[in-house]
Amino acid sequence: MATPSPPQRQQEEKQSVSLSKKKNQKRKRTKHDPELERLDSLPWNSSLPNEEEDDTFSLFIGSGDLDGGFLSLEEIDESDYGLDVPGAKKKISNKNSKLKKQKLEEVTEGSREDAEAEPEPEPAEGMAEEKNVKAKKKKKKSKKKKAKAVQQEDESATVIDSKDDEKEQMLYEDEAEAYAEFYAWNELRLHPLLMKSISRLGFKEPTPIQRTCIPAAAHQGKDVIGAAETGSGKTLAFGLPIFQRLLEEREKAANMLEEKGEEAGKYAPKGVLRALIITPTRELTLQVTDHLKEFAKDINVRVVPIVGGMSAEKQERLLKTRPEVIVGTPGRLWELMSGGEKHLVELHSLSFFVLDEADRMVEAGHFRELQSIIEMLPMTSGTTDGQSQNTQNCVTVSSLSRKKRQTLVFSATLALSADFRKKLKRGSLKSKQSTDGLNSIEILSERAGMKPNAAIVDLTNASILAKNLEESFIECREEDKDAYLYYILSIHGEGRTIVFCTSIAALRHISSILRILGVNVSTLHAQMQQRARLKAIDRFRANEHGILVATDVAARGLDIPGVRTVVHYQLPHSAEVYVHRSGRTARASSDGCSIALISPNDSAKFASLCKSFAKESIKHFPLESSYMPEVMKRLSLARQIDKISRKDSQERANKSWLERSAESLELVVENYDSEEERVKNFKQKKASSNHLKKLQQELNGLLSRPLRPKTFSHRYPTAAGVTHLIQHQFEELAKQNGDDNLVLGENKRRKMVVIGQDCVEPLQALRSAGHEVVNLMF
Ligand SMILES: Nc1ncnc2c1ncn2[C@@H]1O[C@H](COP(=O)(O)OP(=O)(O)OP(=O)(O)O)[C@@H](O)[C@H]1O
């Protein structure tokens, strides 16, 4: 290789210095590239649980070096989502000005580079001098030109900058103002897309159970047992951590693909089941699905319900979409899983196993199926070998992916033994065969792989009942319950009301009586077809003063806004069910009231119920007895009509049964009645039909008039015969209007709010006239 001559070497050295300078400058610039800085910061943050257990979480499927961490929110640029989240604009603005600054630096550096550039080879002396002068002039000129350009660009950049900054500042302020309302969510560090849904739904702040459970489940990767009153937002307490994790994984996958060209599916597997949520009833499954879909639609996550009563084709169609999140009831889920349904047995990527309304789940009828489902889950590191018995259909899993599953168990009522954590650690619950009440929540949790470091969040208060719920009762004879129910619904029929019965027979009886009395009710019980059940709920939901007569199938989780009153027509079998029934009202931040109809047979049970909720007193629901004669009259007619109609329909049913049976046996049913008997039957029927018509006419006559005490003047309610409730209302109204005459009923044209004419909802009546009963002694 030829050795370069000294001037040549000098030139090469200079060139190499210049090149390395350029490289350095370039490196320097890239080092400050915010995008690269963001990528550089990708290694996992240390916000992970650092518990003594060696089963630290591995949150993403794939290589161990990446397991065990979360992307922190700071690494997510909201602008990537076209989101306007406070703080995001500032970031963008900084990013823009950085880029501008960099551009300017490049220009300045370019001129500096030019200045330092290699001198041209030296020409002959005379000419050289002339050329030198010319070159110097040219250089000076170009320097000046460049400096001017820089200055101009500088100036225009500053103008643009200041204009942009002003604009951005204004935008930012607007947005900050718009989002200021949702400030309380900031501490939960939720993904911007989730914040978008939260703001769309108008949820100003997280509920206490959300505030406590979301950090544990979403940021610390912990298992959670959560208990809080009915209507306290438990669905999102487990739903948001699921979505948060799926979004973080996507971020991670996108970044790794960009950074290392690694396969995205490794970090955010697609088309596999990531969260399995189990609820006790079909309605609840559909409701939870709908609630979660409100969030899922913004982040392109598929949430699908799996419930009994759904057609096989629809089920298949839904599962074919390979949803990431499935919400289902134990019965149908187990049916499909045991049948080897592909999407449901590929559980190796399952990241969340959720039991909603866990206390109900452990009741008879669900426990065995649920246990079978749990046994099918891949083990987590918290469980020991040999436990999984039903895994023959389950895809083999790596120990890494086993570790990552989180178990979330939620309930409105919860009683864990004091040493539950210890039991989990020892694994001593595994061998227990128990279906007895609440303690089997512990057994299920343990079997589902709950880890000993689980966060246990029990926000139930001593009485467990929702804090905005006002409870009351009416003492009456068993046979008068219908009358009092009718009284409540017709005198106070404001807002939605759910009437709970323990038996389907009672439900049928009261719904029939109420319909005869012209009260439009929907019914819901377990023997109804799925379609009819959903229709009933839809009808109830659609009517702001709707009445739903239901058995305890509707006691749990049903979340229908505007339920103002719950009536316990019959008392439930357990205190838990009472809590859940009453919890259909006074949900989220609303209030509501419950009214229990207590017959002498119910009194001991009711007293012990109150005792178990640590209730020192409970209110008598205020009644205006002057309404009762009219109520009783109507009810008596309705009962007679009901009796005749039932007899008729029973006869028709029997007859058609006889005909059907004969038909199936290819027999001809002959009528052996004598002519005399046939005439007698005919006459009886005719008389019964006439009687029915008469009763109906009489009832219609009564129903066409407003239900009010006789002492009331139809047009002008006066102090005569006015209840203290109405009297109180008059006084309040008069105070508001500053018109004392109103109290005396002299100002006759003014609109008045009068019970029985303009309905007063039960809660209002209870607050203004209900009186406390201390030490319940029936
Ligand atoms: N942070 C929030 N702010 C306001 N409303 C909320 C919030 N979170 C949830 N909600 C609303 O509160 C209602 C009750 O929520 P959810 O059904 O999750 O309660 P729950 O605790 O599961 O009740 P239950 O124990 O009866 O099933 C829902 O309508 C839901 O949309």
Side-chain angles (χ1 to χ4, degrees), residues 506-746:
L507 174 145
R508 289 198 172 119
H509 163 74
I510 55 171
S511 51
S512 164
I513 293 285
L514 288 173
R515 279 177 186 142
I516 293 169
L517 286 164
V519 181
N520 188 11
V521 298
S522 307
T523 50
L524 182 67
H525 58 81
Q527 282 175 13
M528 281 164 72
Q529 295 272 326
Q530 183 62 18
R531 271 174 76 90
R533 282 162 73 165
L534 295 177
K535 246 183 166 168
I537 293 178
D538 282 348
R539 251 181 48 198
F540 178 54
R541 223 184 260 272
N543 181 356
E544 65 173 314
H545 302 299
I547 298 163
L548 180 71
V549 183
T551 58
D552 289 326
V553 75
R556 312 235 175 188
L558 208 62
D559 179 47
I560 295 169
V563 174
R564 304 293 300 146
T565 314
V566 164
V567 181
H568 301 273
Y569 181 87
Q570 291 173 311
L571 282 182
H573 295 308
S574 73
E576 280 79 38
V577 178
Y578 179 86
V579 172
H580 285 289
R581 281 180 174 189
S582 303
R584 295 317 97 207
T585 182
R587 297 177 71 73
S589 50
S590 316
D591 49 16
C593 95
S594 79
I595 309 167
L597 299 178
I598 304 300
S599 72
N601 288 341
D602 301 318
S603 47
K605 198 176 183 180
F606 189 59
S608 82
L609 254 180
C610 293
K611 212 169 148 194
S612 66
F613 300 135
K615 284 235 148 249
E616 279 169 9
S617 67
I618 186 160
K619 278 182 178 170
H620 255 301
F621 187 80
L623 293 168
E624 176 45 61
S625 56
S626 50
Y627 283 101
M628 291 318 282
E630 179 71 13
V631 167
M632 289 302 193
K633 222 156 113 187
R634 292 181 183 192
L635 200 72
S636 153
L637 288 170
R639 278 179 177 154
Q640 291 177 59
I641 293 170
D642 184 53
K643 200 172 164 191
I644 296 171
S645 315
R646 265 174 203 275
K647 203 174 150 215
D648 281 357
S649 59
Q650 191 62 49
E651 274 173 12
R652 272 200 304 275
N654 287 346
K655 200 173 163 193
S656 64
W657 174 83
L658 189 70
E659 278 163 4
R660 275 201 315 271
S661 309
E663 216 175 80
S664 68
L665 295 170
E666 293 178 5
L667 295 173
V668 178
V669 186
E670 290 205 10
N671 195 345
Y672 294 110
D673 288 348
S674 66
E675 186 62 30
E676 205 180 316
E677 272 173 336
R678 257 185 278 158
V679 171
K680 198 177 137 199
N681 278 345
F682 179 77
K683 277 185 177 169
Q684 265 177 0
K685 262 192 191 154
K686 183 117 182 143
S688 153
S689 145
N690 284 342
H691 185 47
L692 189 65
K693 256 188 208 154
K694 230 176 102 204
L695 291 171
Q696 196 67 66
Q697 268 170 6
E698 201 180 335
L699 181 62
N700 288 347
L702 294 182
L703 293 178
S704 64
R705 298 200 298 264
L707 182 71
R708 67 168 59 85
K710 277 219 167 85
T711 46
F712 256 50
S713 147
H714 194 90
R715 288 170 59 204
Y716 315 121
T718 66
V722 170
T723 66
H724 55 277
L725 223 174
I726 300 171
Q727 183 66 38
H728 175 77
Q729 281 188 340
F730 281 171
E731 283 164 10
E732 285 301 312
L733 208 60
K735 260 189 246 163
Q736 278 169 25
N737 295 336
D739 186 351
D740 286 343
N741 289 339
L742 199 62
V743 181
L744 304 170
E746 283 172 12

Side-chain angles (χ1 to χ4, degrees), residues 96-119:
N96 285 347
S97 51
K98 256 188 195 171
L99 279 171
K100 277 175 207 155
K101 212 172 149 198
Q102 195 178 313
K103 213 174 156 194
L104 281 176
E105 267 172 16
E106 271 174 33
V107 180
T108 328
E109 274 166 10
S111 64
R112 243 180 265 135
E113 271 166 32
D114 278 359
E116 286 164 14
E118 200 56 26

Side-chain angles (χ1 to χ4, degrees), residues 83-372:
L83 285 184
D84 306 327
V85 176
K89 279 286 165 189
K90 244 185 185 165
K91 242 182 179 176
I92 300 164
S93 160
N94 285 345
K95 208 166 153 185
N96 285 347
S97 51
K98 256 188 195 171
L99 279 171
K100 277 175 207 155
K101 212 172 149 198
Q102 195 178 313
K103 213 174 156 194
L104 281 176
E105 267 172 16
E106 271 174 33
V107 180
T108 328
E109 274 166 10
S111 64
R112 243 180 265 135
E113 271 166 32
D114 278 359
E116 286 164 14
E118 200 56 26
E120 280 168 29
E122 278 175 30
E125 226 168 84
M127 268 176 72
E129 217 168 283
E130 203 182 317
K131 235 182 174 180
N132 253 349
V133 175
K134 265 187 187 170
K136 267 182 192 167
K137 270 185 185 169
K138 205 177 158 191
K139 223 179 222 174
K140 231 178 179 178
K141 225 176 172 181
S142 94
K143 249 186 180 177
K144 259 187 186 170
K145 218 172 154 186
K146 271 183 184 165
K148 207 175 170 188
V150 170
Q151 198 187 340
Q152 268 173 358
E153 202 158 332
D154 221 343
E155 276 165 9
S156 67
T158 323
V159 173
I160 292 168
D161 249 1
S162 69
K163 270 188 186 165
D164 280 0
D165 283 353
E166 237 171 71
K167 235 180 181 174
E168 278 160 7
Q169 184 61 25
M170 272 166 66
L171 264 174
Y172 175 68
E173 275 165 16
D174 282 356
E175 284 149 14
E177 209 173 293
Y179 276 91
E181 292 181 283
F182 302 95
Y183 174 82
W185 287 92
N186 286 358
E187 64 186 87
L188 299 187
R189 295 190 290 124
L190 288 171
H191 192 282
L193 287 174
L194 297 178
M195 282 309 300
K196 191 181 167 192
S197 308
I198 286 169
S199 70
R200 180 168 44 77
L201 293 171
F203 294 166
K204 300 271 159 62
E205 54 178 356
T207 63
I209 190 82
Q210 292 164 357
R211 204 183 288 265
T212 331
C213 293
I214 292 172
H219 301 304
Q220 294 164 20
K222 284 191 174 185
D223 290 348
V224 173
I225 294 194
E229 62 187 42
T230 48
S232 57
K234 294 189 284 293
T235 313
L236 290 187
F238 61 76
L240 288 175
I242 295 174
F243 292 141
Q244 174 76 13
R245 180 162 162 185
L246 295 184
L247 285 167
E248 283 175 354
E249 287 182 10
R250 273 192 208 163
E251 293 286 332
K252 181 82 189 163
N255 288 331
M256 294 317 278
L257 183 70
E258 198 180 315
E259 194 187 18
K260 295 185 182 169
E262 285 195 45
E263 209 186 311
K266 206 167 153 189
Y267 305 99
K270 273 190 174 167
V272 286
L273 188 58
R274 306 302 312 282
L276 182 60
I277 301 164
I278 306 192
T279 80
T281 64
R282 298 168 183 185
E283 289 75 15
L284 195 52
T285 288
L286 298 175
Q287 186 183 289
V288 168
T289 308
D290 284 349
H291 200 2
L292 295 183
K293 271 185 175 172
E294 286 288 349
F295 287 78
K297 68 184 176 197
D298 283 337
I299 57 174
N300 198 18
V301 168
R302 247 186 307 270
V303 183
V304 152
I306 298 291
V307 287
M310 198 184 261
S311 76
E313 296 83 54
K314 179 154 190 194
Q315 200 100 77
E316 212 174 292
R317 215 172 45 238
L318 288 176
L319 287 168
K320 257 194 184 142
T321 62
R322 308 193 72 74
E324 291 99 326
V325 180
I326 283 183
V327 191
T329 46
R332 177 54 67 96
L333 274 173
W334 175 237
E335 195 185 312
L336 292 168
M337 285 170 101
S338 55
E341 208 294 328
K342 209 165 165 262
H343 191 62
L344 284 169
V345 296
E346 282 176 358
L347 297 168
H348 54 288
S349 295
L350 193 72
S351 297
F352 288 94
F353 180 68
V354 184
L355 293 180
D356 189 19
E357 303 287 349
D359 55 345
R360 169 79 186 275
M361 217 85 83
V362 298
E363 284 171 10
H366 291 305
F367 194 81
R368 202 172 316 142
E369 288 151 342
L370 190 57
Q371 224 171 339
S372 305

Side-chain angles (χ1 to χ4, degrees), residues 40-60:
D40 283 345
S41 70
L42 279 181
W44 307 101
N45 67 32
S46 56
S47 68
L48 286 172
N50 192 15
E51 307 285 333
E52 340 67 283
E53 285 83 32
D54 34 41
D55 60 334
T56 40
F57 296 88
S58 64
L59 294 160
F60 303 105

